[in-house]
Amino acid sequence: MRREDGRAAEAALAVGYLALTAGIAASYAAPATGYELSIYAATPAVTWAALAVAGAVSVGVCLSDERYLAPAVLLAALGAATVAGLPLIRGYHFYGRADSLVHLGLVRSISVGNDPLRLFYPGSHLIATSLAKVAALEVTRAMMLVMWTYTLVFFASVPLCVWFLVPDRRALAVGAFSAFLLLPINNVSTHQHFHTYSIGMLFVPFVIYVVFTHLIGGDARERAVKRVADGSGAIGRGTVGLDDTVAFSVGSRKPVPTSYLLPLISIALVLVHPQIALNVVFLFGGMVVTQHAYRRFRPDNVLAEYRLLTFQTAFLLVVFVVWVATHEWQFVNTAEAMIESVTEFAAGEGSTTPRVESQSESASSIGASIQELFVKLFGVGAIYSLLAAAAVLGRVTGYLGPLEGRGSRRSDPDTAKDVTTLFFAGILVLLPFFAAHFVGSISTYLFRHVGFLMMLATIFGAVGVRYLLADESPLSGLGSRSAETRVGSSSARFTEVLPEARSVAAVAVVVLLLSLSLATVFPSPFVYLSGSHVPEGEMDGYERAFASQSGGSPVWFGGVRHTSDRYEVALYGAESAPWDRQVNPAVIKSSPVPDRAMLDGLPTYYANHPEEIVRRDHYFVVAEADRQREVLAYRELRYSADAFEAVEAQPDVGKVRDNGELTVYFVDIPSDTFPESPDEDAATVPGG
């Protein structure tokens, strides 16, 4: 692949693209026919082999022949996009359980005319509704497309941010491969399905890149920050050729109108998820304070010359406050819980990370250690976090100098160092806010913010990787020149001795990191979780079960670990939504049934329930997803295989419906007295 004519690289790329095409075709030709516990195991092995070939070819070409950097990175991008889009390619009806089912109901409510602005985070819901109407798609598929599109935005934005900080083609490739790792997705609190916080988090790198260009796009003061490709947004005539030397005009062109673009992005950010917007407010706030401090106390420093973020930060804060003030019902509870948790912890009455402790106990119960889970879920992210910390601290302190490698288009002053310093100040302001989520009940949100930090670590960690790949030592001002020369010469001698071995090792390391990271993008038994696939049969089974209720006093619904409420919202909307919509038939949910009740007898369990109102006939619903989740993914931690088998053999329990994905049992309580319902409107509906 090092031949000067490039034919070997071209041949390798051809093989890579053909392999990727074959892998996608194989995956498309094997659509899901039922619930899939693991999308990895259910996807044909040919697809994974093809993706491995494409990844190895892409990395190998990137390292060996930079003339083919663009098609090589594109090959890897298409491979990563294929992994992220597997639910779409394999024809899933819907992907995402729990909150995603609620969002499905909200999108359907918007599509029938309900006011979306009464929702706390309507941004992605509006996009899904518009896509479904314009493209004539099912709402479920439109929502999966929205999540996939935001993932592609993340793939594109991260390398742009890295290119800004280290403006050469190799850095662009490193940033792209770093983005393909999808480190912000941890499957604890951030997910690769329609989850509004995760969507907003994947959108933030685009916001950061616009802020980068805003900072260096000009200033009202006399002195201007000079940087090649400084955000002027214009390329001079005759400056673009077909080689890798691209010259951008500076100074004479009009700056990019980020003053007009950023407010629109700020509004979009608040609409997608206000919590993400608040995180960005803290980040920007630290940068603004630093900018004003330099202008006040060190006006001669180059940091005093950058365009201020004051107006943009104030605008985002005002939009956030106005939006929250009109949706107080959602935000105030979280704020009060945070204050209470921090106060209790300060008084010595609270505990740290109770959810982490609970998850650790559950993992130990099924034979998995918390250390194993950490390595699988956060191992690659931890490496990038260390690299990010080293890169940021090295640049801020001057330990690391600017890289002036091939393809570099950097000019004085060192813009990357200055912008990194501003972002470092913003991160210092952001960290105490995230640390507050380490204690009490709000620790359930901790891993959301871990995902946000992983998003930042992806950008700055990629900068650290680029420094590791530097041809020359990036150290500046530390030690004698002779010491640096010795380090450089030693590296050169090693490269001469084992050039091919180093390339092969680099390819192996990158493919390994990609494999380990992408193996945890979707939940699966590999991380002791069940897949989030919702097959059409399961949704259809719930809809038919709801419709089969008789008038007067509808049968209640019970289930395994969860009840029917989220499916009710997904199909009809709900009274708990911020708009009023009649639900017919009304669904009455009961609490989840424990394992022992399934073994000892459901009629006895309901007849002797401590709550009098629950002592009535029930529909007991068991999905195929429930069986596989509890028996295979959770290894019978709370529900055994025997418990599922015992239900059908119990007296006074009859199978009402079974379509292969959802089984509905009727539990008859002979001594049923049907006590008065606390919600008369919910208990009395027209016949279904």
Side-chain angles (χ1 to χ4, degrees):
M1 293 177 64
R2 293 181 181 276
R3 289 176 57 184
E4 293 185 2
D5 58 9
R7 291 181 181 176
E10 292 173 1
L13 287 171
V15 171
Y17 276 98
L18 288 173
L20 179 61
T21 303
I24 295 174
S27 182
Y28 182 79
T33 57
Y35 173 73
E36 295 181 348
L37 181 67
S38 170
I39 195 171
Y40 300 104
T43 298
V46 173
T47 299
W48 298 118
L51 288 171
V53 171
V57 168
S58 176
V59 177
V61 173
C62 285
L63 291 173
S64 63
D65 197 335
E66 290 192 15
R67 292 176 299 174
Y68 297 91
L69 198 66
V73 171
L74 178 60
L75 175 60
L78 292 174
T82 298
V83 175
L86 277 176
L88 287 164
I89 296 172
R90 302 205 53 248
Y92 278 16
H93 175 68
F94 188 62
Y95 190 80
R97 293 180 174 270
D99 289 347
S100 288
L101 290 172
V102 176
H103 294 307
L104 172 58
L106 297 178
V107 171
R108 282 175 167 162
S109 297
I110 294 173
S111 65
V112 297
N114 287 293
D115 183 8
L117 296 183
R118 298 182 65 185
L119 187 63
F120 193 50
Y121 24 61
S124 48
H125 300 75
L126 282 169
I127 297 174
T129 303
S130 302
L131 182 61
K133 289 184 177 293
V134 171
L137 296 173
E138 290 289 337
V139 169
T140 52
R141 192 161 187 83
M143 292 175 67
M144 291 190 290
L145 275 170
V146 167
M147 185 64 208
W148 185 66
T149 302
Y150 272 99
T151 304
L152 298 185
V153 171
F154 179 80
F155 287 166
S157 301
V158 168
L160 288 176
C161 292
V162 177
W163 178 84
F164 180 95
L165 297 171
V166 185
D168 63 31
R169 302 181 72 213
R170 189 180 296 181
L172 197 64
V174 170
F177 279 98
S178 299
F180 303 155
L181 296 173
L182 280 174
L183 296 180
I185 303 299
N186 55 47
N187 278 309
V188 180
S189 292
T190 57
H191 311 276
Q192 191 57 28
H193 56 240
F194 196 96
H195 181 253
T196 51
Y197 186 94
S198 302
I199 287 173
M201 178 183 64
L202 296 177
F203 181 58
V204 170
F206 174 73
V207 180
I208 291 176
Y209 179 71
V210 175
V211 170
F212 281 165
T213 60
H214 175 83
L215 287 170
I216 50 81
D219 195 291
R221 303 167 60 134
E222 292 183 1
R223 289 176 296 179
V225 176
K226 295 180 181 179
R227 173 186 180 271
V228 178
D230 69 341
S232 63
I235 303 177
R237 289 185 179 180
T239 58
V240 181
L242 297 179
D243 57 9
D244 61 355
T245 58
V246 181
F248 291 80
S249 62
V250 293
S252 61
R253 296 283 181 169
K254 216 175 166 181
V256 169
T258 50
S259 297
Y260 308 104
L261 181 60
L262 267 175
L264 297 177
I265 293 175
S266 298
I267 295 173
L269 199 61
V270 172
L271 292 179
V272 169
H273 203 289
Q275 178 62 73
I276 292 289
L278 182 60
N279 295 350
V280 175
V281 166
F282 280 106
L283 186 65
F284 287 0
M287 298 171 65
V288 168
V289 170
T290 304
Q291 284 184 304
H292 282 282
Y294 270 93
R295 291 199 173 193
R296 175 68 178 84
F297 299 107
R298 300 185 63 183
D300 294 332
N301 191 287
V302 69
L303 273 171
E305 300 174 355
Y306 286 82
R307 179 185 288 180
L308 287 173
L309 270 175
T310 307
F311 170 76
Q312 305 296 344
T313 305
F315 182 85
L316 177 58
L317 180 60
V318 168
V319 173
F320 171 80
V321 170
V322 170
W323 186 258
V324 168
T326 59
H327 298 76
E328 184 179 4
W329 59 275
Q330 178 90 20
F331 192 80
V332 171
N333 292 338
T334 303
E336 290 177 348
M338 173 180 286
I339 295 173
E340 181 181 356
S341 296
V342 173
T343 303
E344 290 179 354
F345 179 75
E349 301 174 358
S351 60
T352 60
T353 59
R355 182 178 181 181
V356 175
E357 295 173 1
S358 174
Q359 295 292 327
S360 177
E361 293 174 359
S362 298
S364 300
S365 300
I366 60 176
S369 66
I370 196 67
Q371 293 81 9
E372 176 191 354
L373 281 175
F374 177 84
V375 170
K376 289 181 177 180
L377 293 174
F378 302 104
V380 179
I383 295 173
Y384 261 73
S385 298
L386 293 175
L387 290 171
V392 170
L393 293 176
R395 296 296 282 126
V396 170
T397 60
Y399 186 90
L400 294 177
L403 285 177
E404 298 290 350
R406 288 173 292 175
S408 177
R409 291 176 280 279
R410 175 73 68 200
S411 63
D412 293 330
D414 189 355
T415 311
K417 176 184 176 182
D418 301 332
V419 172
T420 301
T421 301
L422 292 177
F423 265 81
F424 178 65
I427 293 171
L428 290 180
V429 174
L430 190 63
L431 286 177
F433 174 66
F434 285 177
H437 293 79
F438 197 69
V439 299
S441 60
I442 60 171
S443 66
T444 55
Y445 299 109
L446 173 64
F447 287 98
R448 286 189 176 189
H449 301 305
V450 170
F452 191 92
L453 290 176
M454 283 296 103
M455 177 270 301
L456 296 175
T458 300
I459 297 172
F460 291 100
V463 175
V465 173
R466 178 63 186 89
Y467 272 88
L468 290 178
L469 297 177
D471 295 325
E472 298 178 359
S473 173
L475 302 182
S476 61
L478 297 173
S480 64
R481 184 177 181 85
S482 60
E484 294 185 13
T485 303
R486 286 194 300 270
V487 172
S489 61
S490 299
S491 176
R493 285 196 299 270
F494 177 78
T495 304
E496 291 175 358
V497 174
L498 294 172
E500 299 303 328
R502 190 177 72 164
S503 297
V504 171
V507 172
V509 168
V510 175
V511 173
L512 176 63
L513 291 178
L514 282 170
S515 301
L516 181 59
S517 187
L518 291 178
T520 60
V521 167
F522 297 108
S524 70
F526 178 66
V527 289
Y528 306 101
L529 294 172
S530 58
S532 297
H533 177 205
V534 181
E536 187 175 7
E538 186 175 338
M539 294 295 292
D540 180 70
Y542 270 105
E543 187 171 14
R544 291 178 180 274
F546 294 156
S548 66
Q549 298 177 99
S550 60
S553 182
V555 180
W556 283 35
F557 281 79
V560 178
R561 196 185 286 265
H562 62 84
T563 55
S564 60
D565 53 342
R566 286 193 170 100
Y567 293 90
E568 172 197 355
V569 177
L571 291 167
Y572 305 119
E575 293 178 349
S576 59
W579 47 74
D580 296 326
R581 183 185 180 197
Q582 183 179 3
V583 179
N584 185 20
V587 178
I588 303 179
K589 65 176 182 178
S590 183
S591 58
V593 173
D595 174 86
R596 181 48 54 187
M598 295 169 65
L599 289 169
D600 295 343
L602 292 174
T604 302
Y605 169 77
Y606 283 122
N608 297 284
H609 198 277
E611 297 181 37
E612 182 180 357
I613 195 163
V614 182
R615 301 171 193 165
R616 58 175 69 237
D617 294 343
H618 272 72
Y619 276 153
F620 184 70
V621 184
V622 178
E624 179 61 24
D626 295 329
R627 296 177 187 270
Q628 295 194 32
R629 178 189 66 236
E630 302 300 332
V631 177
L632 301 178
Y634 295 167
R635 301 185 181 182
E636 301 183 281
L637 173 63
R638 295 186 183 177
Y639 295 88
S640 63
D642 292 339
F644 288 99
E645 298 298 328
V647 172
E648 191 169 347
Q650 295 173 10
D652 297 321
V653 175
K655 184 185 294 184
V656 176
R657 190 180 307 278
D658 185 0
N659 64 5
E661 295 297 333
L662 191 77
T663 304
V664 181
Y665 299 96
F666 180 77
V667 183
D668 185 19
I669 311 299
S671 59
D672 194 350
T673 58
F674 293 99
E676 184 180 355
S677 172
D679 187 349
E680 199 66 36
D681 292 336
T684 305
V685 295

